Amino acid sequence: MLKTTINLEPGKKVYFASDQHFGAPDPKASKVREEHFIRWMDEIKHDAQVLFLMGDLFDFWHEWKHVIPKGYVRVLGKIAELKDRGIHIYFFVGNHDLWMKDYLEEEIGCTVFYTKQYFEMGGKQFLLAHGDGLGPGDKGYKRMKKVFTNPFAQWVFRWLHPDIAMKIALYMSQKNKMISGDEDKEFLGEDKEFLIIYSKEKLKTQKIDYFIYGHRHLPMVMELDGKAKYVNLGDWISYFTYGVFEHDFQLKTFEMNKKRITP
C-alpha cells in the first residue's frame, strides 16, 4: 500500500472541498457559485498547507491537444495563486471531469489522482477518493465509466469539433441529475450506502482513521464501528460545505454573507 506522508507545520491546516460542478446549470448561474468558491479560497490561503480538491470541480471537462473548455478563468487563477504561495494542491478526478489529462499539472502544478489514495497527516491515516465506482453499488455508473474510459470512445470524441462536443457532453452531464443532487439528499442507511459498506470492508484489513469522499453530495460525518470516521464532503451546489483538518477533522459550511477578507 503506497502512502504519502504530510508533516503539518505549526498553525497550518489541510482543507478539503468537492463537487463544485462549475459550468452547470449554465455559465451565468455557475459564476455566482464560482465567486463563493473563490472567496473561500481567499480565506483559507492564510493558514492552508494543503488543499484537496476531491473531484467534479467542473460539471464537464475535456482536454484536446490544444484546446480546453472555455471559462473558469478566475477559479483556475485562484488555484494557481494558492499553488504559487506554496500550498500543495491535490486534485482527484471525479466522474464529471474524468477526462482530465495534464493541464492542471503542467499549467498550475497540481498533483492529479485518478484512483483512491492513502495519506498520513498529523499521525492519522486517511483514505481519500472521489468515491464514484467504489463499493457494491453504482452499477450504472460503473458500466458508463467503462465506456467513457475506453480509448476508442475517447479517440472518437476527440475528433468532434469542441463546440459540438461540449454541447453534447454538458447536455448529458446535466440530464443525469448529478448537478441537482436530488438523488443524494436522503441518507439511505448504513446497510445501503455503498461508500459506507466499502469503508467498513476496508476496516477489516487496514487501519484507517478517516475515509474522506466526494461524489455523494450529502454532507455527513459518521463513526464507523468505533474505529474510524466516514466523511462525505457535500457539495458547492446546495450545501457549500468543506472539510478542515489540523488536530482532528471538522466539516464546516462557508458563510457566504461574511465580509470578504482582504489579501
Side-chain angles (χ1 to χ4, degrees), residues 191-207:
D191 59 335
K192 294 182 180 179
E193 293 279 350
F194 61 87
L195 284 174
I196 292 179
I197 296 170
Y198 174 82
S199 300
K200 286 186 173 183
E201 284 298 311
K202 284 292 182 182
L203 280 177
K204 292 178 180 179
T205 59
Q206 298 179 22
K207 172 67 169 68

Side-chain angles (χ1 to χ4, degrees), residues 195-257:
L195 284 174
I196 292 179
I197 296 170
Y198 174 82
S199 300
K200 286 186 173 183
E201 284 298 311
K202 284 292 182 182
L203 280 177
K204 292 178 180 179
T205 59
Q206 298 179 22
K207 172 67 169 68
I208 304 292
D209 296 298
Y210 294 98
F211 296 87
I212 298 185
Y213 305 106
H215 187 55
R216 182 65 173 81
H217 285 237
L218 182 65
M220 64 178 81
V221 179
M222 175 179 290
E223 291 278 351
L224 296 182
D225 302 331
K227 300 177 181 178
K229 285 187 178 180
Y230 164 87
V231 177
N232 192 281
L233 294 167
D235 65 27
W236 284 71
I237 301 167
S238 302
Y239 300 104
F240 298 88
T241 46
Y242 64 95
V244 56
F245 176 80
E246 187 175 11
H247 305 295
D248 58 7
F249 181 91
Q250 292 181 296
L251 190 63
K252 297 185 175 184
T253 301
F254 177 60
E255 298 178 22
M256 291 175 285
N257 295 324

Side-chain angles (χ1 to χ4, degrees), residues 98-99 144-154:
L98 58 82
W99 282 350
M144 180 186 71
K145 188 172 183 178
K146 287 182 178 179
V147 174
F148 285 176
T149 57
N150 181 280
F152 178 73
Q154 293 183 3

Side-chain angles (χ1 to χ4, degrees), residues 34-254:
E34 290 173 32
E35 173 61 21
H36 295 322
F37 192 62
I38 290 166
R39 287 183 57 201
W40 175 72
M41 286 191 285
D42 261 337
E43 286 192 9
I44 71 168
K45 69 184 181 183
H46 302 285
D47 63 5
Q49 181 174 327
V50 179
L51 170 61
F52 286 98
L53 298 173
M54 297 297 298
D56 289 352
L57 181 67
F58 310 106
D59 198 57
F60 180 76
W61 181 271
H62 186 275
E63 294 175 26
W64 288 263
K65 186 175 181 180
H66 299 293
V67 177
I68 62 167
K70 179 181 179 180
Y72 322 118
V73 173
R74 291 174 178 81
V75 171
L76 292 171
K78 184 58 65 175
I79 294 172
E81 178 190 333
L82 266 58
K83 183 65 176 65
D84 290 345
R85 290 174 67 100
I87 298 170
H88 297 283
I89 312 289
Y90 294 100
F91 184 94
F92 282 76
V93 171
N95 50 304
H96 278 247
D97 42 28
L98 58 82
W99 282 350
M100 179 72 62
K101 299 299 182 184
D102 57 10
Y103 182 78
L104 289 185
E105 290 182 315
E106 292 188 354
E107 298 298 324
I108 297 179
C110 300
T111 299
V112 177
F113 295 123
Y114 298 86
T115 58
K116 67 179 183 291
Q117 300 292 316
Y118 296 91
F119 282 81
E120 180 178 332
M121 295 179 278
K124 302 294 184 180
Q125 308 302 315
F126 290 75
L127 188 155
L128 305 179
H130 178 63
D132 58 309
L134 297 180
D138 240 2
K139 292 181 179 179
Y141 169 69
K142 289 175 182 176
R143 290 191 294 267
M144 180 186 71
K145 188 172 183 178
K146 287 182 178 179
V147 174
F148 285 176
T149 57
N150 181 280
F152 178 73
Q154 293 183 3
W155 180 83
V156 171
F157 190 85
R158 192 174 295 115
W159 279 98
L160 292 175
H161 188 284
D163 287 348
I164 297 172
M166 289 299 295
K167 186 173 183 178
I168 294 172
L170 288 171
Y171 173 78
M172 293 178 62
S173 179
Q174 294 175 31
K175 284 289 286 184
N176 67 19
K177 296 184 179 180
M178 282 296 295
I179 179 60
S180 67
D182 287 341
E183 297 176 354
D184 294 322
K185 290 183 178 179
E186 182 181 351
F187 179 63
L188 303 177
E190 290 188 43
D191 59 335
K192 294 182 180 179
E193 293 279 350
F194 61 87
L195 284 174
I196 292 179
I197 296 170
Y198 174 82
S199 300
K200 286 186 173 183
E201 284 298 311
K202 284 292 182 182
L203 280 177
K204 292 178 180 179
T205 59
Q206 298 179 22
K207 172 67 169 68
I208 304 292
D209 296 298
Y210 294 98
F211 296 87
I212 298 185
Y213 305 106
H215 187 55
R216 182 65 173 81
H217 285 237
L218 182 65
M220 64 178 81
V221 179
M222 175 179 290
E223 291 278 351
L224 296 182
D225 302 331
K227 300 177 181 178
K229 285 187 178 180
Y230 164 87
V231 177
N232 192 281
L233 294 167
D235 65 27
W236 284 71
I237 301 167
S238 302
Y239 300 104
F240 298 88
T241 46
Y242 64 95
V244 56
F245 176 80
E246 187 175 11
H247 305 295
D248 58 7
F249 181 91
Q250 292 181 296
L251 190 63
K252 297 185 175 184
T253 301
F254 177 60

